[in-house]
Amino acid sequence: MENKHHRRTGHYCCGRSTATSSCISCTRCKTTSRKASVEHIARHKQAAEAEMQMDALHALTVAAKQTELKRCSMAHNCLQCIKYLMFVFNLLFWLGGCGILGVGIWLAVTQGNFATLSSSFPSLSAANLLIVTGTFVMIIGFVGCIGAIKENKCLLLSFFIMLLIIFLLELTVVILFFVYTDKIDKYAQRDLKKGLHLYGTDGNIGLTNAWSIIQTDFRCCGVSNYTDWFEVYNTTRVPDSCCLEFSENCGLHSPGTWWKAPCYETVKIWLQENLLAVGIFGLCTALVQILGLTFAMTMYCQVVKADTYCA
């Protein structure tokens, strides 16, 4: 009877049938229950840590997005500022080119080949130089304006390269001029003396006018001496512009009525006396070009930054 009752009132624990009181006091059951509790706590802790990591990652992502938005806003503001500064600069640059081109065209129409003194380079006149210079300045200024207002990287880079090439060419010419000053002096005097033979001939009105103006304004005669004209006329004669007091055919009179100073040295001395003004003009030209290069490269970098941060 006891065995039947034990099997009926008891239950299986740890692989065998025991009484209820004996199961509660079973050491093996307690150990199993404790392990289950520890595993549950560990899983809960891991879930909490994972949730904290997700929250931290989300916070970092939000902070990164805010930082990126701030950078984007700063880059955009800098770009807008440089954009309008460069546009105004290039607009003035373009207007200056228009002015130079206009003066060149006016000289070409009214004065012909004014200031053409070289027989080797008959096209090297003041009018042609101004026309070419004005055209280049207008083209460069136009490219800069469009590149700035459109924020176009290709045009900005083209503007920078063109301006840099011109700046380097000017710098090279200046360096070569100072290095080969003596050779340039000799060549210039020889070429100018050759040009005297074209004085007063058909189709050389520009050269004739240029020599007349130089000899009258600078009170000089000939390239290195008034005798340079003797070879031109094959007689003792100079142009009327060499006379101390201008009158018709005064160049046929005695040398005592002519200017004695050589024109080449006189003009050279005048340039040396006004070297400060020439230097200031050259320095201002260089500064304007450097400023244009700086604007172009700065804006190009800002456009690249804006594309990177705001893409």
Side-chain angles (χ1 to χ4, degrees), residues 151-172:
E151 300 177 13
N152 189 291
K153 291 185 288 187
C154 181
L155 290 177
L156 289 172
L157 197 59
S158 300
F159 172 82
F160 178 85
I161 292 173
M162 287 190 295
L163 198 57
L164 181 62
I165 291 173
I166 292 175
F167 180 76
L168 292 177
L169 287 175
E170 291 173 349
L171 188 62
T172 303

Short mmCIF file of all heavy atoms in Angstrom, two decimals, residues 151-172:
data_model
loop_
_atom_site.label_atom_id
_atom_site.label_comp_id
_atom_site.label_asym_id
_atom_site.label_seq_id
_atom_site.Cartn_x
_atom_site.Cartn_y
_atom_site.Cartn_z
N GLU A 151 29.58 79.13 -60.66
CA GLU A 151 30.31 78.23 -59.78
C GLU A 151 30.81 77.00 -60.54
O GLU A 151 30.72 75.86 -60.08
CB GLU A 151 29.44 77.81 -58.59
CG GLU A 151 28.97 78.98 -57.74
CD GLU A 151 28.05 78.55 -56.61
OE1 GLU A 151 27.99 77.33 -56.34
OE2 GLU A 151 27.42 79.43 -55.99
N ASN A 152 31.33 77.26 -61.74
CA ASN A 152 31.78 76.19 -62.63
C ASN A 152 33.26 75.93 -62.41
O ASN A 152 34.10 76.81 -62.62
CB ASN A 152 31.51 76.60 -64.09
CG ASN A 152 31.75 75.47 -65.06
OD1 ASN A 152 32.88 75.05 -65.27
ND2 ASN A 152 30.68 74.96 -65.65
N LYS A 153 33.59 74.72 -62.00
CA LYS A 153 34.99 74.38 -61.71
C LYS A 153 35.87 74.44 -62.96
O LYS A 153 37.03 74.86 -62.88
CB LYS A 153 35.07 72.99 -61.07
CG LYS A 153 34.48 72.92 -59.67
CD LYS A 153 34.70 71.56 -59.05
CE LYS A 153 33.82 70.52 -59.67
NZ LYS A 153 33.90 69.23 -58.98
N CYS A 154 35.34 74.02 -64.08
CA CYS A 154 36.12 74.01 -65.33
C CYS A 154 36.50 75.43 -65.74
O CYS A 154 37.66 75.70 -66.08
CB CYS A 154 35.32 73.33 -66.43
SG CYS A 154 36.19 73.23 -68.01
N LEU A 155 35.54 76.36 -65.69
CA LEU A 155 35.82 77.75 -66.06
C LEU A 155 36.75 78.41 -65.06
O LEU A 155 37.63 79.20 -65.45
CB LEU A 155 34.51 78.53 -66.17
CG LEU A 155 33.60 78.17 -67.34
CD1 LEU A 155 32.31 78.97 -67.28
CD2 LEU A 155 34.31 78.41 -68.66
N LEU A 156 36.57 78.12 -63.78
CA LEU A 156 37.46 78.69 -62.76
C LEU A 156 38.89 78.22 -62.97
O LEU A 156 39.84 79.01 -62.86
CB LEU A 156 36.96 78.31 -61.36
CG LEU A 156 35.67 78.97 -60.90
CD1 LEU A 156 35.21 78.34 -59.59
CD2 LEU A 156 35.86 80.47 -60.72
N LEU A 157 39.05 76.95 -63.26
CA LEU A 157 40.39 76.41 -63.49
C LEU A 157 40.98 76.97 -64.77
O LEU A 157 42.19 77.27 -64.83
CB LEU A 157 40.32 74.89 -63.55
CG LEU A 157 41.65 74.14 -63.38
CD1 LEU A 157 42.30 74.48 -62.04
CD2 LEU A 157 41.44 72.64 -63.49
N SER A 158 40.16 77.15 -65.80
CA SER A 158 40.64 77.75 -67.06
C SER A 158 41.09 79.19 -66.83
O SER A 158 42.13 79.60 -67.35
CB SER A 158 39.52 77.71 -68.11
OG SER A 158 39.13 76.38 -68.38
N PHE A 159 40.31 79.94 -66.07
CA PHE A 159 40.68 81.32 -65.73
C PHE A 159 42.02 81.36 -65.00
O PHE A 159 42.90 82.16 -65.31
CB PHE A 159 39.58 81.95 -64.87
CG PHE A 159 39.93 83.29 -64.31
CD1 PHE A 159 39.78 84.44 -65.07
CD2 PHE A 159 40.40 83.41 -63.01
CE1 PHE A 159 40.10 85.68 -64.55
CE2 PHE A 159 40.73 84.65 -62.48
CZ PHE A 159 40.58 85.79 -63.26
N PHE A 160 42.18 80.46 -64.03
CA PHE A 160 43.42 80.40 -63.26
C PHE A 160 44.61 80.08 -64.15
O PHE A 160 45.68 80.73 -64.05
CB PHE A 160 43.29 79.36 -62.15
CG PHE A 160 44.52 79.18 -61.31
CD1 PHE A 160 44.76 80.01 -60.24
CD2 PHE A 160 45.44 78.19 -61.60
CE1 PHE A 160 45.89 79.86 -59.46
CE2 PHE A 160 46.58 78.03 -60.83
CZ PHE A 160 46.81 78.87 -59.76
N ILE A 161 44.47 79.10 -65.04
CA ILE A 161 45.58 78.68 -65.90
C ILE A 161 45.96 79.79 -66.88
O ILE A 161 47.15 80.09 -67.07
CB ILE A 161 45.20 77.39 -66.66
CG1 ILE A 161 45.10 76.22 -65.66
CG2 ILE A 161 46.22 77.07 -67.73
CD1 ILE A 161 44.58 74.95 -66.28
N MET A 162 44.96 80.44 -67.50
CA MET A 162 45.25 81.52 -68.45
C MET A 162 45.96 82.68 -67.78
O MET A 162 46.96 83.22 -68.29
CB MET A 162 43.96 82.00 -69.11
CG MET A 162 43.37 81.05 -70.12
SD MET A 162 42.02 81.77 -71.09
CE MET A 162 40.79 82.04 -69.82
N LEU A 163 45.46 83.07 -66.61
CA LEU A 163 46.07 84.19 -65.89
C LEU A 163 47.47 83.83 -65.41
O LEU A 163 48.39 84.67 -65.43
CB LEU A 163 45.19 84.58 -64.71
CG LEU A 163 45.42 85.97 -64.10
CD1 LEU A 163 45.24 87.04 -65.17
CD2 LEU A 163 44.46 86.23 -62.95
N LEU A 164 47.66 82.59 -65.00
CA LEU A 164 48.98 82.14 -64.55
C LEU A 164 49.98 82.14 -65.70
O LEU A 164 51.14 82.57 -65.53
CB LEU A 164 48.88 80.74 -63.95
CG LEU A 164 50.18 80.14 -63.41
CD1 LEU A 164 50.74 80.98 -62.27
CD2 LEU A 164 49.97 78.70 -62.95
N ILE A 165 49.56 81.69 -66.89
CA ILE A 165 50.45 81.69 -68.06
C ILE A 165 50.88 83.11 -68.41
O ILE A 165 52.07 83.38 -68.67
CB ILE A 165 49.75 81.01 -69.25
CG1 ILE A 165 49.60 79.51 -69.00
CG2 ILE A 165 50.54 81.25 -70.54
CD1 ILE A 165 48.78 78.80 -70.05
N ILE A 166 49.93 84.05 -68.41
CA ILE A 166 50.26 85.45 -68.72
C ILE A 166 51.21 86.02 -67.68
O ILE A 166 52.19 86.72 -68.01
CB ILE A 166 48.97 86.28 -68.81
CG1 ILE A 166 48.16 85.86 -70.04
CG2 ILE A 166 49.29 87.77 -68.89
CD1 ILE A 166 46.83 86.54 -70.16
N PHE A 167 50.94 85.73 -66.42
CA PHE A 167 51.81 86.23 -65.34
C PHE A 167 53.23 85.69 -65.48
O PHE A 167 54.21 86.43 -65.34
CB PHE A 167 51.22 85.84 -63.99
CG PHE A 167 52.03 86.29 -62.81
CD1 PHE A 167 52.02 87.62 -62.41
CD2 PHE A 167 52.82 85.39 -62.11
CE1 PHE A 167 52.78 88.03 -61.33
CE2 PHE A 167 53.58 85.80 -61.03
CZ PHE A 167 53.56 87.14 -60.64
N LEU A 168 53.36 84.40 -65.78
CA LEU A 168 54.68 83.80 -65.94
C LEU A 168 55.41 84.35 -67.16
O LEU A 168 56.63 84.56 -67.13
CB LEU A 168 54.55 82.27 -66.04
CG LEU A 168 54.09 81.56 -64.76
CD1 LEU A 168 53.93 80.06 -65.02
CD2 LEU A 168 55.08 81.80 -63.61
N LEU A 169 54.66 84.60 -68.25
CA LEU A 169 55.27 85.20 -69.44
C LEU A 169 55.79 86.60 -69.14
O LEU A 169 56.91 86.97 -69.55
CB LEU A 169 54.26 85.24 -70.58
CG LEU A 169 53.93 83.90 -71.25
CD1 LEU A 169 52.81 84.08 -72.29
CD2 LEU A 169 55.17 83.33 -71.93
N GLU A 170 55.00 87.39 -68.44
CA GLU A 170 55.44 88.74 -68.07
C GLU A 170 56.67 88.69 -67.18
O GLU A 170 57.62 89.47 -67.37
CB GLU A 170 54.30 89.48 -67.35
CG GLU A 170 53.12 89.82 -68.25
CD GLU A 170 51.96 90.38 -67.46
OE1 GLU A 170 51.98 90.32 -66.21
OE2 GLU A 170 51.01 90.88 -68.10
N LEU A 171 56.66 87.79 -66.22
CA LEU A 171 57.81 87.64 -65.33
C LEU A 171 59.06 87.22 -66.11
O LEU A 171 60.16 87.74 -65.86
CB LEU A 171 57.48 86.62 -64.25
CG LEU A 171 58.50 86.46 -63.11
CD1 LEU A 171 58.63 87.76 -62.33
CD2 LEU A 171 58.09 85.33 -62.18
N THR A 172 58.89 86.32 -67.07
CA THR A 172 60.02 85.87 -67.89
C THR A 172 60.58 87.01 -68.73
O THR A 172 61.80 87.18 -68.84
CB THR A 172 59.57 84.71 -68.81
OG1 THR A 172 59.04 83.65 -68.02
CG2 THR A 172 60.73 84.20 -69.64
#
